Amino acid sequence: MNDRRRAVVEPLTSAQVYQACPEEAFSFEVTSELESLDLLAGHERAREALAFGTAIRSDGFNLFVLGQPGHGKHNLVGRYLTERSSQDASPPDWCYLYNFEDPSVPLYLQLPAGLGRQLRRDIEALVEELRGAIPAVFESDEYQNRLQELKQAMGERQRDAVEAVRREAREQGVLLLSTPNGFTFAPADGDSDKVLSPKEYEKLPQEQRERIEHAVEILQRKLTQAIRRMPKLAKELREQVQQLNEEVLQTAIGAPLAELEERYQHEEGVIAHLTAIREAILQHAESFINEEAEIPPEAIFSRFYLNLLVDNADTQGAPVVYQDLPGHQHLVGRIEHHVHNGTLLTDFSLIRAGALHRANGGYLVLDIRGLLTQPGAWETLKRVLRAGEIRTESLEQAYGLISTVSLEPQPIPLDVKIVLLGERLLYYLLCEHDPEFLELFKVQVDLEDELERSDESLALYARMIATLAREAALAPLDRSGVAATIERASRLADDQKRLTARHRDLHDLLMEADHWASVAGSSVIRREDIEKAVAQQLWRAGRIRERSHEQITRGSVMIATQGRVVGQVNGLSVLALGDFAFGQPTRITATARPGSGQVVDIEREARLGGRIHSKAVMILSRYLAGRYAGESPLSLSASLAFEQSYGGIEGDSASVAEVCALVSAIARVGLDQAFAVTGSINQHGEVQAVGGVNEKIEGFFDVCVARGELAGQAVILPATNVEHLMLKREVREAMEAGRFRIFAVRHVDEALALLTGETLGEGDVAGNFPAESLNGRVQARLARFQEVVKAASGNGDEQTAEGGEEGGDDA
């Protein structure tokens, strides 16, 4: 045995289990004297990733901000992007216009920032002016006189055509008569305008009758030709009226449209829309004249308006948009409908912007968890980023679930940086399961979970605390309050050399401390206010912890804290409920008898043990074989169990305790029940660090205090865990009074020495230990097990081998 194992393990001092923050390290009196600090201080890796990701404009270099809950990722990233975006140019306005050629496909219009609002006002003013000017020109005397002249001239042309036939007929001795059914021809009675009676007509000579009939036949053809020319004349009249209407309309719309065309002469899209307005008015002139026109004037005017989808007139720099509910329609926008006579109707004016529209030209911040939980939203975002354009359509349209006629707005070009906020687990799951993810989100922004605690960093951390208090409009902290907050930050990080970087936890702590300071009538937050806030947080969440410890105090859960017992040791576990965790002792027992070298993990056999715990049991069984069996087979059948454990067991932090229990059961040496043990081992017996040591120690301490028997109880933990200790004041005071002890060990032999109080013994070259030592007794009993197994094998009595001695009696 080397010197390290031979040395007596001394209990830790109170200074070793708590890293206090000296108030004299600060030069200020209250934090209001300190300047605000950029909350990304300490996150240099993340800051550089943000700078790179926001500067590069290539496709696919979108950002994913990784961090655990409590970082305040949205606040941190939002601050950076707001500062970064102020240096960028404001993006353009985006509008949708009526498509006069295909109304089902509204056209987008891109305008410089602020021009969309002006154009909308100008078009509204134009419509208002035309709404009064157009009817006025059609009601004017000039228009009515010219219209009447056209109608009279056309009427005269129609009458002249008929009169020409009438005169020719009269010259032929035939009369053209008008009847209710049209025109007819009849022979005239001489030179008079009277019709010759049938009897008189029959008396005429045959030649004369034939001449009259022949003349009527020719006249009939000429009359037919004249009548057939009537629609052509009517068409000419309509064309003349339409030309007149256009001429009149031009006088009404020419000046206002010309003014707008001059104002927006550099905007091709606006000029094209104004041209379409002019053509639409001229094309639908009838709508402004006929009260019963198929398309009323208001329907014509409604097509002229501008749907200002995104107005960046008041935007300073690039927009930073956070969408808290990133559903499909919240991203790409939606097309609304209204009900008319029981029918759903829509048009270009009912297109509404989504977050991608508002963030176009800037930054869109999304929570990945919310994005993944919204139906179709993740696929929609990827499709938009791949296409580089925003297509506004319903989820049903996107997946072809409906075939009804609807609008298909022209897709808007997209230029945006997507910033996803999420946990590391979600990031790595997406990397593993979505092959497109890394093509679209190439920049990883990894926030620090903890910051270094050093003399140099304390001043910066104090400024961070001051900044959090100032932004939350809280009272300032004095030096004692800052020191207490830093000490709490180390406890939240479970490390004397680290400080938590989770701003939300600190913010909540300061909020509560500010409340207790105000209750106490203090104008500053002091140490006692911080400590009371911490105590209240733990008390509010501690009901289940108290009930659990009460079960131990009342004896329902069997935990011994005095005496010595063979094959029994107190292990330490941590129970986590939400964001609250507490420790409690668990009884671990072991049995040993002759067998085939198998260590039975009862938790695993009962399917209550996890894979890590099963691995730990395999490691400790190999350690025992290598330590005590030497070149011989390990003739042992042992079992391990967590007593009164009815849930799952996972982790390797009980493996030191399990080895001690097994050695105790083999050697039939009692273990001191005043000890609780935590730590894992490797195959060489070296003790390795575990998690939750603060909660484990305090949990065992609380159980001992509740029993009223705090008289030298102790916890054994890995030496590598000492720098993780930030124990509460009650534990430190008990340590100073000698009523509670903590031992840090590096090898399982040190733990065995403390638990048994015996000499372990040092092996010789052949690996044999002194017979009177603890290791020698273990080795001797394993040798007896081997003899029993050999004898049973020789007699063919396997049952005898399995029925050997067990270790489980009180020492």
Side-chain angles (χ1 to χ4, degrees):
M1 185 182 298
N2 58 32
D3 293 341
R4 174 178 54 79
R5 297 184 194 172
R6 189 181 298 113
V8 176
V9 179
E10 297 292 336
L12 301 177
T13 64
S14 61
Q16 290 178 285
V17 301
Y18 192 83
Q19 183 67 38
C21 178
E23 296 180 18
E24 56 271 16
F26 305 117
S27 59
F28 59 88
E29 293 297 327
V30 291
T31 55
S32 57
E33 302 172 15
L34 301 177
E35 295 181 0
S36 294
L37 179 71
D38 179 5
L39 294 180
L40 274 175
H43 300 271
E44 297 307 322
R45 188 194 321 274
R47 176 186 289 279
E48 291 185 12
L50 282 170
F52 168 75
T54 54
I56 189 170
R57 305 310 300 178
S58 301
D59 293 341
F61 283 86
N62 297 294
L63 300 90
F64 193 113
V65 181
L66 297 75
Q68 296 304 315
H71 263 115
K73 293 185 288 294
H74 177 241
N75 187 34
L76 286 175
V77 174
R79 287 170 174 271
Y80 180 87
L81 293 179
T82 300
E83 180 181 350
R84 171 72 174 79
S85 65
S86 62
Q87 306 169 13
D88 299 331
S90 297
D93 293 340
W94 293 98
C95 319
Y96 267 115
L97 306 172
Y98 182 82
N99 187 345
F100 291 93
E101 296 182 0
D102 187 355
S104 66
V105 184
L107 303 175
Y108 75 78
L109 176 63
Q110 177 181 348
L111 295 171
L115 201 60
R117 185 184 299 181
Q118 178 183 333
L119 178 61
R120 182 174 61 182
R121 288 196 299 263
D122 287 343
I123 290 182
E124 289 173 353
L126 172 67
V127 170
E128 189 63 30
E129 182 177 353
L130 297 181
R131 189 177 282 121
I134 292 177
V137 295
F138 284 119
E139 293 171 3
S140 64
D141 293 339
E142 179 184 358
Y143 172 76
Q144 294 298 331
N145 291 336
R146 294 184 60 184
L147 179 63
Q148 188 63 30
E149 290 175 359
L150 290 176
K151 290 181 178 180
Q152 287 178 354
M154 186 56 63
E156 290 175 358
R157 290 182 63 186
Q158 292 175 345
R159 286 193 298 273
D160 289 346
V162 175
E163 288 302 320
V165 176
R166 189 190 303 276
R167 287 193 299 271
E168 184 176 351
R170 190 68 187 86
E171 293 173 356
Q172 298 291 335
V174 179
L175 298 177
L176 177 62
L177 304 176
S178 298
T179 67
N181 295 326
F183 295 99
T184 186
F185 291 97
D189 186 6
D191 295 332
S192 67
D193 292 333
K194 294 181 179 180
V195 178
L196 186 66
S197 67
K199 291 182 179 181
E200 294 295 329
Y201 179 74
E202 290 296 333
K203 294 179 181 180
L204 294 176
Q206 179 68 26
E207 293 180 0
Q208 188 174 357
R209 289 201 306 274
E210 290 178 357
R211 182 187 61 79
I212 292 174
E213 291 174 1
H214 179 70
V216 168
E217 184 179 349
I218 295 173
L219 291 171
Q220 185 68 46
R221 287 198 297 269
K222 291 183 177 182
L223 179 62
T224 301
Q225 291 175 356
I227 292 175
R228 287 178 177 175
R229 285 198 298 270
M230 295 299 178
K232 184 177 179 181
L233 294 175
K235 180 181 178 181
E236 292 181 9
L237 176 61
R238 287 195 301 272
E239 291 175 351
Q240 292 173 356
V241 171
Q242 183 176 354
Q243 185 175 358
L244 173 62
N245 292 339
E246 292 179 2
E247 181 181 341
V248 172
L249 282 172
Q250 287 286 10
T251 63
I253 68 176
L257 282 175
E259 180 183 351
L260 292 182
E261 287 171 346
E262 181 179 359
R263 185 178 303 168
Y264 297 98
Q265 58 182 320
H266 301 297
E267 299 297 332
E268 295 183 3
V270 178
I271 297 300
H273 186 57
L274 294 175
T275 302
I277 289 176
R278 183 190 304 274
E279 294 175 354
I281 293 175
L282 298 179
Q283 183 179 356
H284 296 89
E286 185 67 21
S287 298
F288 302 102
I289 301 172
N290 189 352
E291 294 183 357
E292 298 182 358
E294 181 179 356
I295 303 178
E298 286 305 318
I300 303 298
F301 289 141
S302 67
R303 301 173 180 177
F304 303 163
Y305 290 113
L306 187 75
N307 179 1
L308 184 54
L309 201 68
V310 179
D311 183 5
N312 285 313
D314 301 324
T315 303
Q316 301 296 326
V320 178
V321 177
Y322 173 70
Q323 180 61 47
D324 57 349
L325 183 63
H328 170 84
Q329 290 192 338
H330 295 96
L331 291 174
V332 300
R334 66 188 185 279
I335 302 174
E336 295 180 346
H337 295 74
H338 61 82
V339 180
H340 179 71
N341 294 333
T343 304
L344 288 176
L345 300 177
T346 187
D347 58 38
F348 78 100
S349 65
L350 296 177
I351 303 173
R352 299 292 179 255
L356 286 166
H357 294 101
R358 295 192 299 273
N360 205 1
Y363 306 90
L364 176 59
V365 183
L366 303 170
D367 285 309
I368 184 62
R369 185 177 292 274
L371 188 67
L372 293 174
T373 55
Q374 291 297 314
W378 175 240
E379 292 300 325
T380 294
L381 180 63
K382 291 195 298 181
R383 187 170 61 251
V384 167
L385 292 177
R386 287 195 305 267
E389 59 185 20
I390 311 170
R391 187 178 298 275
T392 301
E393 56 187 355
S394 68
L395 198 58
E396 295 81 3
Q397 285 178 294
Y399 287 93
L401 301 179
I402 59 173
S403 58
T404 55
V405 177
S406 184
L407 295 183
E408 296 183 6
Q410 184 182 13
I412 290 179
L414 179 66
D415 177 21
V416 70
K417 280 286 183 181
I418 304 295
V419 181
L420 297 182
L421 310 177
E423 305 166 27
R424 292 186 177 88
L425 175 61
L426 293 176
Y427 176 83
Y428 295 121
L429 285 174
L430 286 169
C431 291
E432 180 70 21
H433 297 289
D434 191 336
E436 297 177 315
F437 174 66
L438 290 178
E439 292 295 324
L440 298 174
F441 294 89
K442 299 180 179 180
V443 182
Q444 177 185 159
V445 183
D446 200 351
L447 295 171
E448 299 289 346
D449 291 333
E450 299 163 357
L451 305 177
E452 182 183 3
R453 177 177 175 177
S454 62
D455 294 340
E456 295 77 15
S457 65
L458 291 181
L460 288 177
Y461 208 80
R463 286 179 58 193
M464 185 183 75
I465 294 171
T467 303
L468 291 173
R470 184 175 294 123
E471 291 180 352
L474 306 179
L477 288 80
D478 65 9
R479 289 190 291 180
S480 69
V482 172
T485 304
I486 289 176
E487 292 167 8
R488 181 59 181 170
S490 273
R491 173 57 188 265
L492 292 174
D494 283 327
D495 198 323
Q496 296 177 1
K497 299 180 180 179
R498 309 291 291 177
L499 298 168
T500 182
R502 299 194 302 176
H503 294 159
R504 187 181 68 188
D505 293 341
L506 294 176
H507 174 269
D508 294 346
L509 176 63
L510 294 177
M511 290 284 288
E512 292 192 38
D514 179 75
H515 167 76
W516 295 117
S518 65
V519 170
S522 174
S523 59
V524 296
I525 299 174
R526 305 155 298 173
R527 173 179 287 275
E528 49 264 39
D529 302 319
I530 296 293
E531 292 178 348
K532 184 167 186 178
V534 172
Q536 287 292 312
Q537 287 178 344
L538 298 177
W539 183 80
R540 289 196 301 270
R543 185 184 67 83
I544 295 179
R545 177 191 60 189
E546 292 175 5
R547 298 291 83 79
S548 176
H549 290 176
E550 182 183 356
Q551 296 289 319
I552 298 174
T553 305
R554 297 174 63 182
S556 300
V557 175
M558 300 169 63
I559 297 293
T561 55
Q562 291 180 341
R564 304 177 78 82
V565 181
V566 174
Q568 177 177 302
V569 69
N570 293 322
L572 294 173
S573 60
V574 175
L575 279 70
L577 301 170
D579 59 351
F580 176 69
F582 65 93
Q584 68 175 18
T586 301
R587 174 176 289 182
I588 301 173
T589 59
T591 65
R593 60 184 179 180
S596 58
Q598 179 183 15
V599 177
V600 176
D601 178 8
I602 293 178
E603 306 302 326
R604 181 183 62 190
E605 298 299 321
R607 297 185 179 180
L608 292 176
R611 290 178 293 181
I612 297 177
H613 178 259
S614 299
K615 175 185 176 183
V617 172
M618 294 177 190
I619 290 175
L620 70 87
S621 67
R622 293 302 89 199
Y623 165 72
L624 290 174
R627 178 75 165 156
Y628 299 110
E631 301 295 332
S632 303
L634 182 65
S635 301
L636 171 70
S637 176
S639 63
L640 289 167
F642 285 73
E643 304 294 351
Q644 292 183 285
S645 172
Y646 307 106
I649 300 295
E650 182 59 303
D652 61 354
S653 64
S655 55
V656 170
E658 290 170 328
V659 168
C660 294
L662 277 172
V663 170
S664 170
I666 295 170
R668 290 184 294 189
V669 174
L671 299 179
D672 191 345
Q673 300 301 294
F675 283 84
V677 184
T678 185
S680 72
I681 66 168
N682 59 25
Q683 294 188 95
H684 302 293
E686 295 170 326
V687 179
Q688 302 168 144
V690 294
V693 287
N694 290 292
E695 289 78 9
K696 291 175 179 178
I697 294 171
E698 291 172 356
F700 185 65
F701 174 84
D702 291 341
V703 167
C704 294
V705 169
R707 286 187 161 182
E709 53 184 30
L710 195 60
Q713 279 80 9
V715 171
I716 299 173
L717 53 74
T720 48
N721 273 130
V722 172
E723 63 182 14
H724 302 145
L725 295 177
M726 288 293 291
L727 296 175
K728 61 183 181 181
R729 176 175 298 169
E730 293 84 352
V731 178
R732 304 198 305 272
E733 290 175 350
M735 291 176 64
E736 292 171 355
R739 294 184 295 115
F740 192 80
R741 298 165 297 161
I742 299 176
F743 294 92
V745 299
R746 298 187 180 276
H747 195 276
V748 70
D749 282 355
E750 297 173 347
L752 281 168
L754 290 168
L755 289 167
T756 63
E758 297 195 9
T759 302
L760 271 293
E762 185 175 352
D764 57 20
V765 177
N768 297 316
F769 296 94
E772 69 279 4
S773 69
L774 176 63
N775 285 334
R777 295 166 65 181
V778 172
Q779 202 170 42
R781 191 149 190 247
L782 288 174
R784 289 198 299 273
F785 284 176
Q786 186 177 15
E787 294 174 359
V788 171
V789 171
K790 285 182 179 180
S793 299
N795 297 329
D797 188 358
E798 187 176 343
Q799 183 67 29
T800 302
E802 291 294 326
E805 299 174 278
E806 296 185 12
D809 301 326
D810 289 351

